[in-house]
């Protein structure tokens, strides 16, 4: 073991010769080699070439983290695996979802954080086998481990965040509402969706194309019959305020004369099997090869193919099936067919019958198939199973680097299904194929802070649920949470009930319109908070325990802090007309019924049951914090930001910096951004306002509503005078 120190709080332990994952980005030259191993919070042991880390857990030790994974925020009681998995049934007993996020925060007597930088499978037994033991099993012994010590949970998480590099910066329009479905199959269908949003006066910034826009599921093709004038459609939608976002899948269809296939094969850019031939698996198009995204040349080749779509006006993509998902391999399917043939006419007893059906079910993502696939890394053949978790990450990196090469100064919308730590530099993620189940609103909320801790800031779930049928109430309640997530996209599976915001009844459409308009009102704040978190390696979502130290804050796992000012407390039970809320301090509640409507009420510290009718979104403004609101429009770019409303809950002093920039380019890196610094002080019932603004600020007027803890309210209109010198 080699032990190094990155800084006094962060240890870096190297075992054997780890695979270079590029998850973290820090200056390795600036680390200090330690001669003696310092005392570690975990015990290390090696057995059968597997490294194991153990720690004992006292009854009140909480274990947070693991990014996109199942169960609550506190992972105690469960067993989990880091192995990117396409599993569309997100029930509590499952061990893995699409991401592999090996970061844990252990809050014992002395809290610590741990990151296992290992691209194969890692198993986390968090008080499952024994309630008082944490056992982390790494399925190999070549690994880098990072330990974060000294500090509270937030400081530990931030210490980890700082090792990852700057997070992905989406275009500002990606904070608008987005509509998806598997599938809007033709130009006419897409145009009808756009028309319905316009007609119903529901804001929307993007409409999605799922796999059916392609010619027989071939990447970088468009079905010409269904979309006879694709660039024309893209342009006319953009004119109306909508971007069109096509999907790209990992597998490349095997088909003679299909250029992507021919090029990949000729240049040796596909993953191989044991016999050095391109590895064959089946996904949507039938048989495919998987690009070898670990090979830098293959990565660049695939990434530059996005030009086929950017040349036609496309400005955003979602990358899918990149765990990679495998429906079947030829050999395994043949074995199953042979078994079925042998079973024909037999009297199948319980064992034989289930053996037969299980054999077919097990074709999907069979672990042994991953062992048959190889990558070429620096001239060596590397078995896929050993680096499985890097596949989706490198597909997304391929897209991000390709797009950056094609248009260096343009921000593209890009998010992926599979991911690992480090991917947050290149793109966001969505949390995959959830269900239209109430439990999945809560799961969505509980995942968000853990995903952020792994550096992935642009994230959200399929609002309304992917599989199964949503009703209007679920759609409304879920949207009342998703309006806080950077990615706010309604997406549903094939054969499910339509769940567009106008697909239910008139009264429900009216509520959804208000909820979505409320989202647009929040965009100045959400964007400002996102950009600050991205540029300063911060967090957008935090559990309450990151800011409040009392036990009750730690036990609250159905509320979230959103940026520095807000707390989200969505209703996530069917037919509920309110919910229990814990307030760690006195806060201002805005029961919002739309971008401007609803009541304000000061709610004291403590436990409360708060009523929330279906049309009411509960938004809490923390003490001495400020919320800046914009005037909604039908799309982000149509918003008039010259007048903003400001809601301030001021006990003594509250200050806020509102960040903004052009939202489309990277000029912000050279200082092309604006800031408004607001400070409000309150003394004996009187409020004082100070505003300082950098030059080029678009905001001209701030309409302030200031409230103190006693409920005294004062309104004031302030002119924003940009500082000519700044
Ligand atoms: C996968 C994706 C889902 C998509 C479907 C068809 O299941 O997770 O979002 O709609 O594939 O492409």
């Amino acid at each position: 073991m080699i032990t190094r120190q990155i800084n006094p709080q962060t240890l870096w332990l190297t075992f054997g010769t780890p695979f270079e994952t590029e998850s973290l980005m820090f200056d390795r030259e600036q680390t200090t080699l330690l001669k003696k191993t310092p005392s570690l919070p975990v015990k290390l042991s090696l057995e059968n070439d597997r490294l194991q880390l153990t720690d004992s857990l006292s009854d009140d030790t909480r274990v947070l983290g693991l990014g996109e994974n199942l169960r609550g925020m506190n992972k105690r009681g469960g067993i989990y695996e880091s192995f990117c998995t396409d599993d569309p049934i997100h029930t509590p007993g499952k061990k893995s979802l699409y991401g592999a996020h090996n970061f844990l925060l252990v809050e014992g007597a002395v809290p610590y954080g741990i990151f296992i930088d290992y691209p194969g499978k890692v198993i986390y037994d968090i008080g499952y086998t024994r309630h008082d033991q944490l056992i982390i099993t790494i399925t190999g012994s070549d690994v880098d481990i990072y330990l974060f010590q000294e500090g509270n949970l937030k400081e530990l998480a931030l210490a980890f965040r700082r090792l990852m590099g700057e997070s992905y910066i989406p275009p500002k329009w990606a904070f608008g509402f987005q509509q998806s479905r598997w599938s809007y199959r033709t130009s006419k269908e897409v145009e009808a969706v756009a028309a319905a949003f316009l007609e119903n006066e529901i804001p929307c910034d993007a409409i999605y194309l799922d796999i059916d826009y392609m010619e027989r599921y071939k990447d970088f093709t468009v079905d010409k019959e269904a979309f006879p004038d694709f660039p024309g459609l893209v342009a006319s939608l953009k004119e109306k305020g909508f971007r069109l976002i096509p999907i790209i899948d990992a597998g490349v269809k095997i088909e003679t004369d299909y250029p992507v296939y021919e090029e990949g094969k000729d240049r040796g850019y596909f993953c191989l099997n044991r016999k050095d031939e391109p590895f064959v698996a089946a996904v949507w198009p039938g048989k495919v090869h998987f690009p070898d995204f670990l090979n830098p040349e293959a990565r660049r080749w695939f990434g530059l193919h996005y030009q086929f779509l950017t040349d036609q006006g496309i400005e955003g993509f979602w990358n899918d099936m990149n765990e990679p998902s495998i429906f079947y391999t030829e050999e395994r399917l043949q074995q199953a067919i042979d078994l079925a043939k042998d079973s024909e006419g037999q009297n199948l007893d319980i064992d034989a019958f289930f053996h037969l059906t299980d054999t077919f079910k097990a074709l999907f993502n069979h672990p042994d198939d991953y062992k048959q696939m190889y990558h070429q890394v620096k001239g060596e053949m590397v078995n896929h199973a050993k680096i499985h978790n890097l596949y989706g990450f490198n597909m997304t990196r391929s897209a991000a680097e390709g797009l950056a090469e094609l248009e260096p100064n343009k921000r593209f919308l890009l998010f992926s299904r599979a991911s690992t730590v480090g991917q947050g530099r290149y793109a966001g993620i969505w949390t995959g194929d959830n269900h239209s189940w109430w439990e999945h609103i809560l799961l969505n909320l509980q995942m968000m802070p853990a995903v952020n801790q792994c550096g992935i800031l642009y994230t959200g779930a399929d609002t309304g649920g992917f599989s199964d049928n949503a009703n209007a109430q679920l759609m409304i309640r879920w949207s009342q949470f998703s309006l806080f997530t950077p990615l706010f996209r309604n997406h549903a599976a094939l054969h499910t009930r339509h769940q567009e915001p106008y697909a239910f009844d008139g009264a429900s459409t009216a509520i959804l319109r208000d909820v979505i308009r409320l989202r647009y009102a929040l965009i100045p704040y959400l964007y400002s908070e996102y950009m600050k978190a991205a540029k300063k390696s911060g967090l957008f979502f935090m559990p309450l325990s990151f800011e409040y130290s009392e036990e009750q804050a730690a036990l609250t796992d159905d509320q979230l802090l959103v940026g520095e000012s807000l707390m989200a407390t969505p209703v996530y039970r069917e037919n509920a007309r309110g919910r229990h809320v814990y307030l760690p301090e006195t806060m201002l509640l805005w029961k919002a019924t739309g971008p401007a409507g609803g009541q304000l009420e000061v709610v004291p510290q403590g436990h409360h049951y708060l009523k929330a009718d279906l049309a009411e979104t509960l938004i809490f403004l923390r003490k001495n914090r400020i919320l800046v609101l914009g005037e909604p429009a039908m799309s982000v770019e149509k918003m008039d930001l010259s007048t903003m409303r400001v809601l301030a809950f001021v006990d003594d002093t509250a200050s806020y910096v509102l960040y903004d920039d052009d939202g489309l380019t990277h000029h912000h890196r050279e200082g092309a951004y604006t800031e408004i610094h607001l400070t409000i002080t309150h003394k004996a019932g009187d409020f004082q306002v100070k505003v300082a603004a950098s030059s080029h600020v678009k905001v001209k007027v701030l309409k302030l509503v200031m409230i103190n803890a006693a409920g005294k309210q004062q309104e004031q209109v302030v002119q924003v005078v940009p500082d000519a010198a700044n």
Side-chain angles (χ1 to χ4, degrees):
M1 174 172 86
I2 301 172
T3 313
R4 299 179 187 87
Q5 208 176 39
I6 299 174
N7 54 49
Q9 288 78 38
T10 311
L11 285 177
W12 168 22
L13 316 176
T14 302
F15 300 83
T17 323
F19 189 90
E20 253 180 67
T21 63
E22 299 184 61
S23 278
L24 301 186
M25 273 187 56
F26 61 92
D27 189 349
R28 282 161 172 75
E29 306 293 309
Q30 294 297 313
T31 57
T32 322
L33 196 66
L34 298 180
K35 300 249 160 58
K36 268 198 349 217
T37 308
S39 74
L40 301 174
V42 285
K43 278 203 209 85
L44 300 165
S45 58
L46 188 69
E47 224 172 275
N48 302 329
D49 202 29
R50 291 176 153 213
L51 191 67
Q52 216 168 54
L53 285 70
T54 49
D55 189 15
S56 54
L57 301 172
S58 71
D59 281 353
D60 44 15
T61 299
R62 293 186 314 135
V63 183
L64 305 180
L66 289 186
E68 179 188 21
N69 218 312
L70 293 141
R71 305 167 88 104
M73 283 186 199
N74 182 356
K75 300 287 173 204
R76 278 285 292 261
I79 187 155
Y80 310 85
E81 285 177 2
S82 270
F83 197 74
C84 297
T85 304
D86 173 13
D87 183 338
I89 317 281
H90 305 173
T91 41
K94 296 292 172 66
K95 295 181 184 148
S96 273
L97 291 176
Y98 312 87
H101 303 138
N102 291 308
F103 180 62
L104 280 188
L105 283 167
V106 183
E107 194 193 18
V110 182
Y112 63 90
I114 187 159
F115 171 55
I116 315 276
D117 193 1
Y118 183 75
K121 189 185 282 187
V122 183
I123 303 156
Y124 297 85
D125 179 337
I126 309 182
Y128 172 78
T129 304
R130 273 191 65 106
H131 81 280
D132 56 356
Q133 252 196 348
L134 166 69
I135 310 164
I136 303 174
T137 307
I138 299 159
T139 57
S141 54
D142 295 306
V143 56
D144 283 309
I145 295 176
Y146 298 83
L147 282 164
F148 304 87
Q149 291 170 291
E150 291 180 39
N152 57 30
L153 293 182
K154 181 176 172 186
E155 285 157 357
L156 294 168
L158 290 176
F160 177 43
R161 283 281 290 116
R162 282 194 287 273
L163 301 183
M164 293 172 202
E166 186 186 275
S167 288
Y168 160 70
I169 294 187
K172 194 174 178 185
W173 54 260
F175 287 78
F177 178 74
Q178 311 186 38
Q179 183 61 52
S180 184
R181 178 169 179 85
W182 177 13
S183 279
Y184 302 127
R185 286 168 185 271
T186 59
S187 282
K188 283 214 167 65
E189 236 183 288
V190 173
E191 277 160 352
V193 173
F197 273 94
L198 294 174
E199 197 177 304
N200 286 287
E201 294 180 18
I202 301 172
C204 179
D205 268 84
I207 300 174
Y208 279 67
L209 293 180
D210 208 321
I211 46 174
D212 302 288
Y213 81 89
M214 294 181 255
E215 231 175 66
R216 295 190 307 289
Y217 314 116
K218 288 187 288 183
D219 279 339
F220 313 117
T221 65
V222 171
D223 181 334
K224 288 191 201 68
E225 254 174 59
F227 296 90
D229 176 14
F230 192 70
L233 175 71
V234 177
S236 84
L237 284 175
K238 188 167 174 184
E239 187 70 32
K240 294 179 187 141
F242 304 91
R243 257 94 177 179
L244 200 56
I245 315 293
I247 196 168
I248 302 290
D249 286 317
V252 170
K253 182 174 166 68
I254 300 175
E255 186 182 276
T256 311
D257 293 338
Y258 164 40
V260 185
Y261 160 73
E262 296 285 1
E263 281 168 26
K265 193 178 59 145
D266 291 349
R267 298 182 197 175
Y269 288 162
F270 293 128
C271 291
L272 300 175
N273 63 17
R274 272 180 220 273
K275 295 187 224 143
D276 258 7
E277 298 154 345
F279 175 80
V280 182
V283 201
W284 308 120
K287 287 176 201 160
V288 301
H289 293 320
F290 290 121
D292 186 355
F293 291 113
L294 272 77
N295 167 354
E297 278 178 34
R299 201 157 61 217
R300 179 164 181 268
W301 161 75
F302 192 86
L304 290 177
H305 268 294
Y306 284 74
Q307 184 172 12
F308 170 75
L309 290 153
T310 57
D311 276 355
Q312 304 186 63
I314 293 296
E315 296 172 273
F317 299 90
W318 47 316
N319 280 348
D320 193 21
M321 307 302 272
N322 50 1
E323 291 70 30
S325 185
I326 294 180
F327 291 174
Y328 65 87
T329 54
E330 286 170 303
E331 302 73 27
R332 202 168 299 284
L333 180 63
Q334 192 55 53
Q335 285 165 15
I337 291 171
D338 290 346
L339 179 68
K341 284 184 185 156
D342 291 346
S343 311
E344 202 179 357
Q346 303 290 319
N347 175 5
L348 302 178
D349 66 4
I350 173 172
D351 297 327
F353 174 72
F354 286 111
H355 175 55
L356 174 64
T357 52
D358 288 350
T359 303
F360 279 91
K361 281 188 208 148
L363 291 174
F364 188 55
N365 300 327
H366 198 290
D368 288 345
D369 288 340
Y370 292 123
K371 294 186 188 148
Q372 310 302 320
M373 179 169 150
Y374 288 83
H375 298 265
Q376 297 176 78
V377 182
K378 295 183 187 148
E380 284 193 26
M381 294 281 274
V382 177
N383 188 263
H384 175 81
K386 296 207 162 143
I387 55 85
H388 176 75
N389 294 334
L390 296 179
Y391 193 78
F393 166 42
N394 281 289
M395 177 189 182
T396 305
R397 181 174 170 188
S398 152
E401 288 175 346
L403 293 168
E405 189 174 333
L406 292 168
E407 289 191 63
N409 197 26
K410 187 181 173 102
R411 296 191 211 173
F412 285 90
L413 169 60
L414 182 64
F415 59 91
S416 160
R417 195 171 69 179
S419 69
T420 198
V421 171
Q423 181 157 322
R425 289 195 295 276
Y426 299 103
I429 59 166
W430 93 102
T431 56
D433 298 348
N434 57 10
H435 276 68
S436 298
W437 295 340
W438 288 84
E439 292 80 356
H440 280 183
I441 303 181
L442 183 59
L443 184 63
N444 180 186
L445 178 149
Q446 289 172 326
M447 269 185 213
M448 294 288 99
V451 168
N452 271 198
Q453 286 153 29
C454 292
I456 299 168
L457 296 183
Y458 189 78
T459 181
D462 285 352
T463 301
F466 175 71
S467 301
D468 236 331
N469 297 315
N471 62 19
Q473 193 193 142
L474 178 95
M475 202 63 228
I476 291 167
R477 290 305 196 190
W478 205 322
S479 301
Q480 289 171 344
F481 173 65
S482 290
L483 65 77
F484 295 105
T485 62
L487 168 64
F488 179 7
R489 183 179 76 139
N490 174 338
H491 179 51
L494 194 66
H495 306 309
T496 57
R497 176 182 184 183
H498 271 265
Q499 63 182 40
E500 292 81 3
Y502 49 77
F504 300 94
D505 51 83
S508 304
T509 302
I511 297 178
L512 282 164
R513 177 188 303 115
D514 284 336
V515 173
I516 293 168
R517 279 170 53 77
L518 176 61
R519 157 63 170 227
Y520 279 73
L522 288 170
I523 286 177
Y525 170 77
L526 298 175
Y527 185 69
S528 171
E529 290 304 290
Y530 184 96
M531 291 299 287
K532 286 188 269 182
K535 292 170 85 135
K536 294 182 190 149
S537 292
L539 299 164
F540 182 86
F541 287 120
M542 285 188 291
L544 266 53
S545 57
F546 275 35
E547 293 275 286
Y548 302 97
S549 56
E550 72 277 13
E551 194 190 10
Q552 190 55 47
L555 293 172
T556 304
D557 71 353
D558 60 355
Q559 304 178 193
L560 266 193
L561 300 174
V562 185
E564 64 176 62
S565 303
L566 300 183
M567 181 170 78
T569 61
V571 172
Y572 56 89
R573 287 192 199 285
E574 187 154 35
N575 299 321
R577 279 289 180 269
R579 59 162 285 172
H580 170 263
V581 172
Y582 169 68
L583 291 198
E585 62 180 338
T586 300
M587 294 191 190
L588 180 67
L589 168 62
W590 175 23
K591 267 190 193 176
T593 50
Q599 299 156 4
L600 296 174
E601 184 192 336
V602 175
V603 185
Q605 191 274 337
H607 294 269
H608 302 272
Y609 181 84
L610 293 168
K611 285 201 67 184
D613 286 341
L614 193 56
E616 290 175 327
T617 304
L618 302 176
I619 301 179
F620 283 96
L621 180 56
R622 294 167 64 187
K623 190 155 73 182
N624 289 323
R625 305 288 163 121
I626 291 173
L627 171 64
V628 181
L629 296 156
E631 181 60 34
M634 288 298 285
S635 68
V636 172
E637 282 167 5
K638 293 199 173 106
M639 284 175 73
D640 172 5
L641 298 180
S642 61
T643 300
M644 299 241 206
R645 288 187 308 118
V646 177
L647 194 57
F649 183 44
V650 193
D651 199 32
D652 40 69
T653 306
S655 53
Y656 187 72
V657 179
L658 182 75
Y659 171 99
D660 198 11
D661 59 24
D662 68 19
L664 292 171
T665 71
H666 292 297
H667 289 311
H668 61 94
R669 294 204 171 117
E670 293 100 51
Y673 59 86
T674 62
E675 281 181 351
I676 299 179
H677 294 250
L678 248 175
T679 307
I680 303 173
T681 46
H682 165 256
K683 225 186 213 165
D686 189 41
F687 296 89
Q688 301 285 333
V689 184
K690 263 210 253 158
V691 183
S694 51
S695 53
H696 310 296
V697 162
K698 289 203 188 100
V699 185
K700 299 198 171 55
V701 175
L702 294 178
K703 291 186 172 167
L704 294 128
V705 176
M706 298 167 288
I707 299 181
N708 74 3
K712 183 179 167 5
Q713 192 166 325
Q714 184 178 314
E715 294 189 11
Q716 195 172 326
V717 176
V718 179
Q719 297 289 328
V720 178
V721 185
D723 181 347
N726 272 328

